């Protein structure tokens, strides 16, 4: 069986952020209902608050990661998709301040950015910036504020484009109104959507949209989010930028960022993904030292320890060490086979059969089939011997790691790369994290292979009907999602009791697979559900989880917390005008 040619392979070539003038170009037909009214409300509020019409709207969607959790920053591939929930930034340039403004200025060569949010819990703010500068002089807020993400995106994109201006006259004032439907802390990447939308807003304001590629925008958004204290691996931003409707996105990070859309087959029975927010907020910026950033450091230390075990020299600095770079180093230039002295009095005969064991990287032979799955399986076995063993699940101390690497403890701080980390109980659970990373990376490849194998050679477009009974395929996909959740819960410890409860209820209520999605420690789950069962499935989650834990939620809040979704298009610029659903 072969897969259908994808409409785009985003590995090379120049593709800028697209610009659209119809909402039907932004959303699939299933998601389009209600969007016209939402966009009209945004335009009306913009006019009411600023006294002028919207010129453009930058859109960046949230994403759901179907499988491949916490392995992007280890250099391994993932399978996310954009969703219809998104961040919108409406803007207009002006020579004069908005009505009633008390802001003084701008200073010569500066633009005053007026930043408002449709949600009143996010306070209004403003800042001055030279839009022809490299952004370095633009300070981040002293305390974390929702505007931190916009300012980070501004700094990132200005740093990227400042050296190639031709003719551009910055406006004295820039009016911005932000609205978002990606729940904060839900694991659906509201922060990446905000940072990405911010970067492409400034890109459009500066007249540079058409000369900067989507790959460059993705890199800018990745680097920008790090300015707010989160060491993002890049999956969130790449999914927000590159996604295509009705496709998953196989994103690879090594040796460079690339994205390959994988069409979803039309199965019998049809299926949907259902997102259920646990409503336990995961604020990466404030919990990172115990959770997200600590996991990054644990994987980097694991890569260094495994390299030491294999006598490999990884690229410096320590902070750049990843399991993926370890695999690349070994399989492209394996160490020489160890020298053994001649054996005195060798045996004159051998037994009829010899015991067998898996190949070990002490061999100088590279596997005949250099498939990533083979390499991953091999390295998983080696990691178990090098990092695992009795008691290793409880973790090791900084001192034990330093002793194995033959360095001073203080030297290991380089691995942190400026990130604040604080292991609970002082123990780094390096083997448990490594086990998750390697097995999860394998699950991503298996998931992709299952999707691609469902297409026949004659089919060249998405929408092909698979064999009459697709349940074996859907069950196999669901099993991989369930294995992922078990690993996230037990080995990576990025789940939480509420998420575990939701997953158990989802599986009991008809989900073929259910798992945490996103950073974890709260946030959302994603479940694979036969389409005919979706309404009953959501009803079960409402009654079995939300009614018990959050009995005072309104109908709108329940709709936001639990909903079915299909993959949607990535980030874009929209030419303002009357938003129509049937344009």
């Amino acid at each position: 069986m072969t897969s259908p040619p994808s409409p785009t392979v985003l590995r090379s070539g120049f593709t800028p952020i697209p610009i659209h003038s119809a909402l039907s170009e932004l959303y699939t037909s299933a998601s389009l209902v209600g969007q016209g009214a939402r966009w009209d409300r945004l335009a009306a509020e913009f006019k009411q608050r600023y006294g002028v019409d919207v010129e453009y709207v930058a859109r960046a969607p949230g994403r759901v990661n179907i499988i491949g959790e916490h392995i992007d920053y280890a250099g391994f591939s993932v399978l996310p998709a954009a969703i219809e929930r998104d961040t919108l930034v409406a803007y207009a340039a002006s020579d004069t301040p908005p009505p009633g403004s008390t802001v003084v200025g701008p200073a010569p060569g500066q633009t005053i950015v007026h930043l408002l949010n449709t949600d009143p819990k996010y306070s209004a703010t403003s800042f001055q910036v030279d839009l022809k500068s490299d952004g370095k002089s633009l300070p981040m807020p002293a305390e974390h504020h929702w505007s931190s993400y916009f300012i980070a995106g501004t700094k990132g994109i200005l740093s990227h484009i400042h050296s190639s201006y031709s003719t551009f006259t910055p406006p004295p004032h820039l009016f911005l109104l932000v609205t978002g439907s990606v729940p904060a802390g839900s694991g659906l990447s509201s922060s990446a959507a905000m940072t990405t939308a911010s970067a492409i807003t400034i890109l459009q304001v500066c007249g540079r949209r058409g000369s900067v590629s989507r790959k460059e925008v993705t890199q800018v958004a990745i680097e920008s989010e790090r300015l707010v204290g989160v060491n993002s691996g890049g999956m969130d931003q790449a999914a927000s930028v590159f996604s295509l409707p009705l496709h998953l996105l196989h994103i690879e990070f090594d040796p460079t960022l690339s994205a390959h859309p994988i069409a979803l087959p039309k199965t019998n029975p049809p299926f949907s993904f259902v997102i259920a927010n646990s409503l336990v907020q995961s604020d990466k910026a404030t919990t990172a030292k115990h959770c997200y950033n600590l996991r990054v450091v644990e994987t980097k230390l694991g890569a260094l320890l495994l390299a030491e075990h294999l006598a490999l020299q990884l690229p410096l600095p320590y902070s750049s060490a990843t399991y993926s770079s370890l695999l690349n180093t070994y399989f492209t230039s394996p160490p020489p086979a160890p020298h053994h002295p001649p054996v005195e009095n060798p045996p004159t005969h051998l037994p009829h059969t010899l015991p067998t064991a898996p190949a070990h990287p002490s061999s100088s032979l590279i596997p005949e089939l250099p498939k990533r799955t083979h390499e991953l399986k091999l390295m998983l076995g080696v990691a178990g011997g090098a990092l695992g063993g009795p008691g290793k699940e409880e973790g090791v101390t900084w001192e034990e790691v330093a002793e194995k690497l033959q360095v001073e403890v203080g030297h290991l701080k380089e691995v942190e790369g400026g990130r604040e980390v604080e292991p609970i109980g002082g123990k780094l659970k390096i083997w448990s994290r490594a086990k998750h990373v390697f097995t999860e990376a394998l699950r991503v490849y298996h998931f992709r292979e299952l999707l691609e194998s469902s297409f026949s050679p004659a089919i060249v477009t998405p929408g092909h009907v698979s064999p009459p009974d697709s349940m074996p395929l859907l069950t196999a996909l669901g099993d991989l999602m369930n294995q992922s959740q078990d690993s996230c819960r037990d080995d990576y410890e990025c789940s939480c009791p509420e998420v575990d409860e939701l997953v158990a209820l989802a599986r009991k209520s008809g989900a073929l697979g259910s798992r945490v999605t996103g950073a974890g420690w709260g946030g959302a789950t994603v479940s694979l559900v036969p389409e005919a069962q979706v309404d009953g499935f959501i009803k079960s989650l409402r009654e079995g989880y939300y009614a018990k834990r959050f009995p005072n939620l309104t109908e709108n809040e329940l709709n936001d917390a639990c909903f079915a979704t299909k993959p949607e298009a990535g980030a874009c610029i929209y030419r303002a005008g009357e938003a129509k659903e049937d344009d």
Side-chain angles (χ1 to χ4, degrees):
M1 306 290 277
T2 58
S3 60
S6 297
T8 308
V9 178
L10 306 168
R11 295 178 181 272
S12 61
F14 180 86
T15 55
I17 295 291
I19 187 164
H20 300 303
S21 56
L23 294 188
S24 57
E25 298 173 294
L26 278 63
Y27 303 99
T28 60
S29 57
S31 300
L32 197 54
V33 176
Q35 289 294 346
R38 176 185 175 227
W39 282 62
D40 284 342
R41 288 194 300 271
L42 176 66
E45 183 170 344
F46 190 96
K47 180 69 175 285
Q48 184 265 322
R49 300 183 75 167
Y50 285 121
V52 297
D53 291 326
V54 176
E55 293 176 4
Y56 292 93
V57 180
R59 174 187 181 265
R63 64 95 190 95
V64 58
N65 190 25
I66 304 302
I67 199 162
E69 216 61 72
H70 282 283
I71 61 174
D72 53 344
Y73 50 78
F76 295 129
S77 63
V78 293
L79 270 175
I83 59 176
E84 70 273 17
R85 306 300 175 101
D86 52 23
T87 294
L88 306 178
V89 181
Y91 86 83
S94 176
D95 292 331
T96 58
S101 173
T102 59
V103 176
V104 178
Q110 300 280 308
T111 295
I112 298 180
V113 179
H114 305 265
L115 191 56
L116 302 177
N117 198 301
T118 59
D119 189 333
K121 74 179 179 183
Y122 298 117
S123 59
T125 190
S126 64
F127 60 91
Q128 291 197 39
V129 60
D130 178 359
L131 291 176
K132 298 186 77 170
S133 73
D134 60 8
K136 290 181 179 178
S137 62
L138 175 61
M140 293 294 294
E143 295 185 3
H144 187 71
H145 186 262
W146 74 275
S147 63
S148 300
Y149 294 100
F150 191 93
I151 293 172
T154 300
K155 287 172 68 69
I157 201 66
L158 290 181
S159 176
H160 186 77
I161 65 176
H162 82 281
S163 62
S164 54
Y165 280 116
S166 52
T167 58
F168 166 62
T169 303
H173 296 270
L174 185 60
F175 301 159
L176 302 170
L177 179 60
V178 178
T179 190
S181 56
V182 187
S186 63
L188 302 177
S189 200
S190 59
S191 59
M194 179 65 181
T195 307
T196 302
S198 304
I200 63 176
T201 296
I202 299 301
L203 190 64
Q204 178 68 11
V205 168
C206 295
R208 296 296 311 283
R209 179 198 59 81
S211 59
V212 176
S213 72
R214 286 189 287 179
K215 183 174 180 178
E216 292 172 287
V217 170
T218 301
Q219 295 287 9
V220 165
I222 293 169
E223 293 161 8
S224 297
E225 193 162 353
R226 291 172 182 165
L227 294 176
V228 293
V230 178
N231 189 56
S232 170
M235 170 186 66
D236 301 346
Q237 297 82 1
S240 187
V241 171
F242 281 125
S243 286
L244 294 176
L246 302 179
H247 287 70
L248 300 187
L249 202 63
H250 188 212
I251 302 173
E252 297 176 287
F253 304 94
D254 198 351
T256 60
L257 177 71
S258 64
H260 188 100
I262 308 296
L264 290 180
K266 186 177 181 182
T267 57
N268 182 22
F271 71 94
S272 286
F273 294 112
V274 176
I275 295 171
N277 188 353
S278 69
L279 300 180
V280 176
Q281 286 208 6
S282 172
D283 185 351
K284 287 191 290 185
T286 57
T287 64
K289 67 179 180 180
H290 299 300
C291 301
Y292 191 93
N293 286 353
L294 177 59
R295 296 299 183 274
V296 175
V297 168
E298 286 172 323
T299 61
K300 290 184 181 299
L301 290 174
L304 291 170
L305 288 169
L306 198 50
E308 176 74 15
H309 176 77
L310 296 173
L312 294 176
Q313 183 65 50
L314 291 183
L316 295 175
Y318 272 10
S319 59
S320 68
T322 65
Y323 283 121
S324 179
S325 63
L326 173 75
L327 260 70
N328 290 341
T329 300
Y330 172 69
F331 285 105
T332 56
S333 54
H339 173 72
H340 296 288
V343 177
E344 294 184 9
N345 302 316
T348 57
H349 68 278
L350 293 173
H352 294 298
T353 60
L354 293 172
T356 59
H360 191 284
S362 60
S363 165
S364 62
L365 297 177
I366 300 177
E368 247 181 70
L369 297 175
K371 293 182 66 175
R372 203 61 160 173
T373 52
H374 181 89
E375 298 172 357
L376 286 164
K377 289 176 182 177
L378 180 60
M379 201 57 69
L380 174 61
V382 178
L387 307 177
K392 294 296 177 62
E393 290 81 3
E394 299 302 316
V396 294
T397 64
W398 286 103
E399 289 75 16
E400 289 172 309
V401 173
E403 182 180 355
K404 286 193 173 186
L405 293 177
Q406 303 178 52
V407 299
E408 297 294 328
V409 173
H411 194 53
L412 293 180
K413 291 295 180 181
E414 184 184 329
V415 180
E416 297 178 19
R419 295 175 292 271
E420 184 182 6
V421 298
E422 190 176 311
I424 296 174
K427 292 295 187 76
L428 300 150
K429 296 187 177 182
I430 292 173
W431 161 236
S432 295
R433 312 313 184 212
K435 184 165 60 169
H436 167 79
V437 168
F438 286 117
T439 58
E440 186 77 346
L442 282 166
R443 284 186 284 270
V444 169
Y445 285 107
H446 291 160
F447 204 97
R448 173 176 173 168
E449 288 168 3
L450 283 169
L451 288 176
E452 291 182 328
S453 69
S454 68
F455 288 89
S456 71
I459 300 302
V460 296
T461 58
H464 161 59
V465 178
S466 293
D469 181 10
S470 304
M471 283 305 294
L473 168 66
L474 298 182
T475 300
L477 294 173
D479 286 345
L480 289 171
M481 293 174 68
N482 289 335
Q483 293 167 23
S484 173
Q485 167 61 19
D486 295 346
S487 182
C488 285
R489 181 192 63 221
D490 300 333
D491 293 328
Y492 222 69
E493 296 181 285
C494 60
S495 189
C496 70
E498 294 84 356
V499 166
D500 294 342
E501 180 182 338
L502 258 179
V503 165
L505 180 59
R507 294 176 184 176
K508 180 180 176 182
S509 302
L512 299 174
S514 186
R515 57 179 294 277
V516 66
T517 185
W521 298 285
T525 63
V526 59
S527 301
L528 191 158
V529 183
E531 217 161 75
Q533 300 178 32
V534 166
D535 290 345
F537 176 81
I538 291 176
K539 183 173 183 288
S540 293
L541 296 193
R542 282 188 170 202
E543 294 173 352
Y545 181 79
Y546 297 105
K548 292 179 180 179
R549 285 187 172 269
F550 304 96
N552 298 321
L553 293 180
T554 66
E555 184 66 19
N556 284 340
E557 289 170 332
L558 284 168
N559 289 336
D560 284 343
C562 187
F563 56 92
T565 189
K566 298 266 180 147
E568 296 282 343
C572 69
I573 293 291
Y574 178 84
R575 280 195 189 90
E578 188 176 358
K580 295 292 186 183
E581 292 166 12
D582 57 352
D583 280 351

